[in-house]
């Protein structure tokens, strides 16, 4: 974690009371020492040929000064290297093991490997590296120069305090954990002689232990630039034991109240277990939520809050904090953590339409595991509230309504939505193989942002608080006053689609996690699928002719009328049952959901409708900017959020969703419908309630990949993933062929020319031969930028020979 954090300490005696503890705690001491961090003039050395090696990451302090910080909680946790001497030099070496990571590093540094000479380095470590360096100095790699200590300490101590302060939460966590149990960290803020300032880290806690990057040059406007990030050598070879999650959450019991203004106040009880003796508990919650107090096993606990700024671990919506129990938590037994919280996560959009923000983080979370939920909400009775799970209680209390929602099985996350709703009637459940109870709601009235511009309305000031991907702007007013859109025009159609999609997916993939699914509207042009709860764009409920003018093109109409509903329903399986292992694997859940929606579209409207969408995805990915770069070239699909640093605002979504669907479609075409659908069913069975990595999915594809036959070569799965998943490129393919002879021995010979991709890009391209009668024959050709020839004998003369570019393969016709 390399995000910057600034902290406010709150020590609590009773829930809601902001009174300091009578005596300072170990966490107090650590925070105080971190805030006053400075270098130790007595620990300054002239070093030569000193090194710090963390597997793939190698730091060399060839010639210069190394000064250590004063101890924090008895450990030296930072140091500064300066090459400001005659012949001074340092160096960092790193060779990324993966093709995509080498490409990423080259994009930022113009080289696929990192070999940068250094002017200076500020180091932070919690893994004992300080002692490792001191031991090497003792063995002859340096000598003490205390006369230069005061000068270096004065020069560098403010920088050390600033950087070390950015790790205060991590330092508290690690320094309160015995070193033998500690997943340590090494971080370096480096001043390169060529690349300028950048950062490297080795974090044992992360699934990708190695990271190199820096803040975007457009600080405050762009994302953190991750140059490369990957598992360390021991992790890749399996010799490093994957660190167990420090906390396993088992259940949540939350009592939440929404007052007349819909401000939230809640008591959240969490049951959890720790894997080892635990002195701290790390949580995350939305910035809009304030944690007032915490108790652990009935005893008051100390809180340390972090305000995340920029960095790869930074989050614009959520912030980290620590809970420090009054005593160490024993492992293997259940502990109870109680929070009192309040905040505002609901914004009015007008006419009793509401936008619920912080949908996934309105209560504190300590991990990403599955848990059961028991949720009770008290809210104004004029509104309808829906949540995750089955409603087990419904009563009124004066002007308020109280409902309780319980999940019978552990799930990934829980949310809620509310508004002045109308429920769809007669949602068909008969014939649903999963037996899921479906409820679909729509807004009774239209939110202000969708009102015709000529309709005078009083707009509340806080409508502007909606997120940037929130409510669309109204269209320009027409000549005459248009009729206001009906927010319930497609309520029954949406309900029918939801029920039909649930039946279709249940037949393909098996039952979802929960037997209840509620769909309700959210202002904006997006949707979100939680376990048992789908947020669906209000635009999906409008008649296509009454949507804003900018959303009436054919592509957008199809998205809001057909694709978004099926996509979000598919998340009941992909993302909620089978979950991505990390950000590099998010394309699996989004790509699976997108392609499931296309399978449903194919069933509903035919193959051509599905192929038209895929062709549109292809055209979007191949679209070039003013510099001639395609959207696809922004980076491999496994880069996830890192694609945002490409400078193209739509690259992440276009690649994660569109290319993700294309990868699955090409596997289907290469494997055949039967094996492909069997693979998806096995994927859901094998990874039910588990996390799935791209490597694991690749291994599963190998199990179902077609073997070599007289008619077709075997599918080389590794080559397929190297080209389509771990790299970029949309080839242009040109087909030339000749026919000789007569039936039943027509000889076809041809050549497939490939261009527009790197020289090492090679795929199995389908050459489709169509006849007057019967199924077409597909000849698979291994492409190359040097061209690829093929030949085959046909029983009859073909009607058409072509490469189905944009239909069966992600390619352009030349």
């Amino acid at each position: 974690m390399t995000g910057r954090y600034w902290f406010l300490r709150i020590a609590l005696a009773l829930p809601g009371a902001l009174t300091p503890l009578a005596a300072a705690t170990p966490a107090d001491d650590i925070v105080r020492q971190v805030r006053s961090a400075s270098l130790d003039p007595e620990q300054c050395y002239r070093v030569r040929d000193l090194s710090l090696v963390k597997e793939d990451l190698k730091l060399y302090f060839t010639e210069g000064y190394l000064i250590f910080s004063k101890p924090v909680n008895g450990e030296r946790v930072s140091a500064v290297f300066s090459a400001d001497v005659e012949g001074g030099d340092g160096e960092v070496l790193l060779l990324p093991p993966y093709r995509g990571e080498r490409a990423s590093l080259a994009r930022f540094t113009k080289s696929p490997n990192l070999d940068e000479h250094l002017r200076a380095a500020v180091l932070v470590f919690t893994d004992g590296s300080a002692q490792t360096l001191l031991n090497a100095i003792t063995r002859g790699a340096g000598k003490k120069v205390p006369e230069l200590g005061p000068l270096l300490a004065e020069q560098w101590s403010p920088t050390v305090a600033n950087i070390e302060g950015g790790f205060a939460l991590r330092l508290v966590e690690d320094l309160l954990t015995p070193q033998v149990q500690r997943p340590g960290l090494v971080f370096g803020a480096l001043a390169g002689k060529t690349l300028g300032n950048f950062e490297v880290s080795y974090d044992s806690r992360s699934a990708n232990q190695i990271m190199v990057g820096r803040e975007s040059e457009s600080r405050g406007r762009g994302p953190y630039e991750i140059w490369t990030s990957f598992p360390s050598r021991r992790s890749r070879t399996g010799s490093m034991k994957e660190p167990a999650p420090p906390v396993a959450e088992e259940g949540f019991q939350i009592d939440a109240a929404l007052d007349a203004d819909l401000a939230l106040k809640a008591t959240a009880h969490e049951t959890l277990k720790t894997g080892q003796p635990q002195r701290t508990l790390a949580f995350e919650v939305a910035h809009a939520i304030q944690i007032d107090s915490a108790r652990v096993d009935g005893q008051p606990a100390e809180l340390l809050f972090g305000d995340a700024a920029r960095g790869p671990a930074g989050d614009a919506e959520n912030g980290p904090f620590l809970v420090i129990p009054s005593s160490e938590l024993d492992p293997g037994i259940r502990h109870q953590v109680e929070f009192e919280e309040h905040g505002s996560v609901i914004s009015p959009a007008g006419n009793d339409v509401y936008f619920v923000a912080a949908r996934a983080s309105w209560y504190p979370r300590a991990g990403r595991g599955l848990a059961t939920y028991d949720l009770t909400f008290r809210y104004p009775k004029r509104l309808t509230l829906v949540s995750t799970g089955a409603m087990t209680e419904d009563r009124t209390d004066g002007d308020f309504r109280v409902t309780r929602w319980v999940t019978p099985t552990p799930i990934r996350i829980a949310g809620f939505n509310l508004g002045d709703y109308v429920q769809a009637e007669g949602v068909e459940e008969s014939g649903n193989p999963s037996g899921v109870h479906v409820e679909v709601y729509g807004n009774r009235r239209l939110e202000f942002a969708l009102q015709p511009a000529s309709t005078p309305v009083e707009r509340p000031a806080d409508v502007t608080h909606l997120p940037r991907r929130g409510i669309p702007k109204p269209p320009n007013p027409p000549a005459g006053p248009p009729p206001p859109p009906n927010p319930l025009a497609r309520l029954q159609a949406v309900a029918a689609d939801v029920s039909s999609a649930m039946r279709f997916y249940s037949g393909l993939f098996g039952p979802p996690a929960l037997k209840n699914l509620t769909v309700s509207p959210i202002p904006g042009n997006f949707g979100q699928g939680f376990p048992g709860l789908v947020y669906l764009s209000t635009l999906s409920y409008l008649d296509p002719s009454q949507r804003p003018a900018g959303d009436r093109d054919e592509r957008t109409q199809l998205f809001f009328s057909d694709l978004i509903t099926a996509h979000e329903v598919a998340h009941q399986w992909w993302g909620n049952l089978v979950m991505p292992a990390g950000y590099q694997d998010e394309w699996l859940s989004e790509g699976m959901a997108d392609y499931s929606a296309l399978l449903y579209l194919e069933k509903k409207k035919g193959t051509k409708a599905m192929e038209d969408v895929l062709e549109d995805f292809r055209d979007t990915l191949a679209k070039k900017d003013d510099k001639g770069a395609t959207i696809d070239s922004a980076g491999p699909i496994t880069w996830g959020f890192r694609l945002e640093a490409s400078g193209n605002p739509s690259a992440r979504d276009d690649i994660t969703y569109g290319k993700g669907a294309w990868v699955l479609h090409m596997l289907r075409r290469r494997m055949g419908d039967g094996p492909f659908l069997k693979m998806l069913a096995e994927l859901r069975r094998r990874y039910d309630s588990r996390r799935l990595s791209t490597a694991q999915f690749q291994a599963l594809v190998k199990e179902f990949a077609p073997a070599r036959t007289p008619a077709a070569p075997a599918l080389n799965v590794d080559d397929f993933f190297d080209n389509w998943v771990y790299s970029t490129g949309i080839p242009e393919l040109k087909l030339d062929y000749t026919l000789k002879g007569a039936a039943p021995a027509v000889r076809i010979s041809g050549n497939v020319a490939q261009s527009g991709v790197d020289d090492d890009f090679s795929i199995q391209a389908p050459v489709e031969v169509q006849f007057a009668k019967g199924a077409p024959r597909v000849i698979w050709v291994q492409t190359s930028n040097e061209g690829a020839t093929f030949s085959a004998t046909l029983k009859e003369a073909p009607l058409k020979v072509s490469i189905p570019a944009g239909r069966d393969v992600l390619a352009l016709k030349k």
Side-chain angles (χ1 to χ4, degrees), residues 457-477:
V457 292
E458 181 180 352
R459 299 175 182 269
D462 51 0
V463 168
T464 60
H465 293 172
L466 295 172
R468 62 181 181 274
R469 293 209 306 165
I471 299 175
K473 295 180 180 179
N476 293 325

Side-chain angles (χ1 to χ4, degrees), residues 703-718:
E703 295 181 27
F704 289 84
R708 180 182 179 86
T709 68
L715 170 61
N716 188 318
V717 175
D718 289 341

Side-chain angles (χ1 to χ4, degrees), residues 70-90:
K70 294 178 180 179
V72 174
N73 204 43
E75 295 185 35
R76 299 188 189 276
V77 297
S78 58
V80 171
F81 169 76
S82 172
D84 189 16
V85 297
E86 184 177 353
D89 192 23

